[in-house]
Amino acid sequence: MEKKMQFNPELAEIKTYEGGKPIELVMREYGIKEEEIVKLASNENPNGVSPKVVEAVQNSAHKMFMYPDDAMVTLKSGLAKQFGVTQENLIIGAGSDEVINFAIRAKANPTQKVLTAGVTFAMYDIYAKQIAAPVIKTTSQQHDLAEFLALYKANPDIAVIFLCLPNNPLGESLSRAEVYEFIAQVDTETLVVVDGAYQEYASYKDSDYKIDPSDLIATFPNTLYLGTFSKAYGLGGMRVGYGIGAKEVIDTLYKVRPPFNVTTLSLVAATTALEDQAFVNEAVALNFSEMERYETFAKENKIDFIKSYTNFITLIFNENLNSKEVAQLLLKKGIIVRDLTSYGVNAIRITIGTPTQNSKFFETFTKVLTA
Ligand SMILES: *Cc1c(COP(=O)(O)O)cnc(C)c1O
C-alpha cells in the first residue's frame, strides 16, 4: 500500500482560517454582478480608503523595484508621535496578524500555554497550534476577567494572555479600569497582549474604554499593545499593523521577524493614512450612527445582539433561526456576512456598511426572515 505523507501532527488540530467570502467568488458562484454585491463580512471601512493615501501610493509606485526601508523610520516616527512612545517601542507587521504570530513564537511553546476568551479572534489559536502551544479558553464566550484570573492562577504554565478589546467576533469590550486591575494581578513574567484592532471605535464610543498604549506599557512593561491599519484606517488590502511594547519585548519580537516584512507601498499607505485622522474620525462617527439603525432593527425583529464597541454588530439567534442557513440565504441575494457557526455560536456578524448598504441589508434580511 502506498504510504500517506505525514505532516507535523500539531497541524491536524488547526481549522484553516476562513476569511469573509471574497466578492469575486460570490460573483462566480451566484452570477451576481459586482455592483450588486454588498460585502459586510470583513470589518473593512465602508468609506474605502482616503484619497490622500491613493495619491501617495501612486506617487511612490516607481519605488517598487527597491527593497523597502526595513527600519521603517517614516512610519515609526508617525506612530511614535501619534501614541507618545519612542521608535524603540514599535514593531511593524504585515497586518497586526503577523505581530500576533511574533508574540506567540517569542513566548509560547508546548509547555508555555496561551490563555484567551472562549470566543475570540481565531488567529491566536491557529498560531499557537502551529507551534504546538496549548490554548486554554474561558468557558465564557465574552471576556470575563474573573474567569481569566481563576484559570491563570490554576495553570502556572500560562505564558501569554490575549485580551481582544474590543473582541472580534462578538463586539464586547472592557473598561480601562477593569483591564488594569486584572493585569496588576498577573505575574510580570507573563506577557499580556492587548489586541486593540478596534480601539479607534471603542474609545470614541466610551472614553472609559480607551486603552492608551503608552500608558499601558509604562504601567505594565509585560504588556504588548496591537493596532492595525486594516479597520478604521481603511487599508485591509495593504497589510499593515503594529505592536507597541517595552524595548525588551520589542527587541525579542524582532528576533522572529522576517526581513522586509512590510512592502514599500504599504509603508507609504500607512504613513499617509495616519496623517489623515479626519478620514478616520468621519468613519468612526458614521459607524455609530449607522449602528443605531441595526440596534433598532434587531429590537423590532426581536433578535438579540451584543452591545458593540466595534465596526460590526453580532446578532444572536434563538432556535428558530440557523445562522449558517441565514448567511447562505443572504449570500444568494448578494449580501456577504459572517456566520459564526465555526466559533460555536448561532450568530452572524455584520460589518456596519454605508447607509445605502445597511438599508439593503435590512430590506434583504427582512425578506429572509419572512420567507
Ligand atoms: C482584523 C483584526 C486583526 C488584524 O488584522 P490585520 O489585517 O492582520 O492587521 C487583529 N485582531 C483582530 C481582533 C482583528 O479583528
Side-chain angles (χ1 to χ4, degrees):
M1 212 178 81
E2 222 178 309
K3 270 199 199 152
K4 205 165 167 248
M5 189 185 291
Q6 297 299 311
F7 292 99
N8 288 334
E10 60 268 22
L11 301 184
E13 306 276 306
I14 296 178
K15 275 194 242 157
T16 312
Y17 182 81
E18 262 181 74
K21 205 167 172 85
I23 288 177
E24 288 76 8
L25 269 181
V26 178
M27 287 163 65
R28 280 188 208 180
E29 280 178 29
Y30 300 99
I32 305 172
K33 290 198 216 88
E34 180 162 12
E35 58 275 17
E36 282 166 15
I37 296 173
V38 177
K39 186 181 178 212
L40 302 174
S42 299
N43 306 338
E44 290 142 343
N45 186 328
N47 293 347
V49 56
S50 153
K52 291 177 184 158
V53 172
V54 175
E55 196 190 335
V57 169
Q58 280 167 344
N59 290 339
S60 297
H62 65 282
K63 293 183 186 158
M64 70 172 88
F65 74 98
M66 277 193 293
Y67 277 94
D69 161 21
D70 204 33
M72 309 187 196
V73 284
T74 316
L75 178 55
K76 277 194 187 172
S77 112
L79 285 168
K81 202 168 134 225
Q82 171 83 7
F83 291 113
V85 295
T86 70
Q87 298 207 19
E88 288 180 333
N89 300 124
L90 289 162
I91 186 164
I92 319 283
S96 62
D97 246 76
E98 193 181 32
V99 189
I100 294 169
N101 195 15
F102 296 162
I104 287 178
R105 291 205 294 140
K107 185 77 174 142
N109 64 43
T111 62
Q112 296 289 293
K113 299 177 182 168
V114 175
L115 175 62
T116 76
V119 173
T120 190
F121 194 47
M123 295 315 298
Y124 311 143
D125 195 70
I126 293 177
Y127 288 132
K129 284 185 175 145
Q130 286 175 356
I131 59 163
V135 179
I136 298 175
K137 294 184 184 184
T138 60
T139 54
S140 323
Q141 296 179 340
Q142 301 182 31
H143 286 70
D144 171 347
L145 291 180
E147 198 189 350
F148 266 81
L149 197 61
L151 284 170
Y152 177 71
K153 293 258 161 81
N155 293 276
D157 45 5
I158 287 171
V160 191
I161 301 174
F162 279 94
L163 300 178
C164 188
L165 301 171
N167 188 20
N168 177 13
L170 298 183
E172 91 278 6
S173 204
L174 296 170
S175 72
R176 177 177 52 254
E178 294 171 277
V179 173
Y180 275 39
E181 193 191 323
F182 168 74
I183 303 176
Q185 297 175 78
V186 171
D187 195 278
T188 51
E189 274 289 286
T190 306
L191 180 66
V192 181
V193 182
V194 176
D195 185 341
Y198 302 94
Q199 270 292 322
E200 292 85 359
Y201 298 95
S203 51
Y204 174 94
K205 187 170 170 77
D206 185 340
S207 57
D208 289 343
Y209 280 56
K210 181 186 166 94
I211 310 241
D212 172 57
S214 107
D215 188 68
L216 178 74
I217 66 166
T219 314
F220 306 109
N222 59 320
T223 57
L224 175 69
Y225 178 92
L226 303 179
T228 179
F229 285 93
S230 299
K231 310 286 159 57
Y233 285 89
L235 291 182
M238 291 307 260
R239 317 299 309 122
V240 193
Y242 50 90
I244 304 179
K247 182 178 184 300
E248 298 67 45
V249 173
I250 298 298
D251 285 351
T252 309
L253 299 189
Y254 256 91
K255 297 187 184 194
V256 295
R257 181 195 74 109
F260 308 113
N261 60 323
V262 183
T263 73
T264 301
L265 296 182
S266 298
L267 290 169
V268 168
T271 305
T272 314
L274 197 58
E275 286 161 4
D276 194 355
Q277 289 293 322
F279 177 85
V280 175
N281 295 340
E282 197 184 312
V284 171
L286 177 72
N287 177 71
F288 285 109
S289 62
E290 287 297 299
M291 179 87 74
E292 281 179 22
R293 294 179 66 202
Y294 277 89
E295 292 176 354
T296 307
F297 180 85
K299 283 175 196 156
E300 279 170 7
N301 287 282
K302 303 201 167 38
I303 294 171
D304 273 346
F305 62 90
I306 298 169
K307 183 179 174 189
S308 172
Y309 291 81
T310 67
N311 64 345
F312 58 82
I313 187 161
T314 298
L315 304 182
I316 314 271
F317 297 151
N318 60 23
E319 56 289 348
N320 298 332
L321 282 176
N322 175 299
S323 63
K324 198 170 179 164
E325 283 169 22
V326 169
Q328 195 61 33
L329 289 170
L330 288 168
L331 197 58
K332 283 189 187 151
K333 298 183 190 300
I335 299 203
I336 319 175
V337 299
R338 193 63 190 270
D339 163 39
L340 300 185
T341 302
S342 68
Y343 289 84
V345 230
N346 184 25
I348 58 170
R349 188 195 71 190
I350 307 143
T351 304
I352 309 300
T354 61
T356 316
Q357 289 177 322
N358 298 330
S359 298
K360 181 151 181 205
F361 172 85
F362 300 137
E363 196 185 299
T364 313
F365 191 64
T366 305
K367 281 186 198 148
V368 166
L369 287 178
T370 51

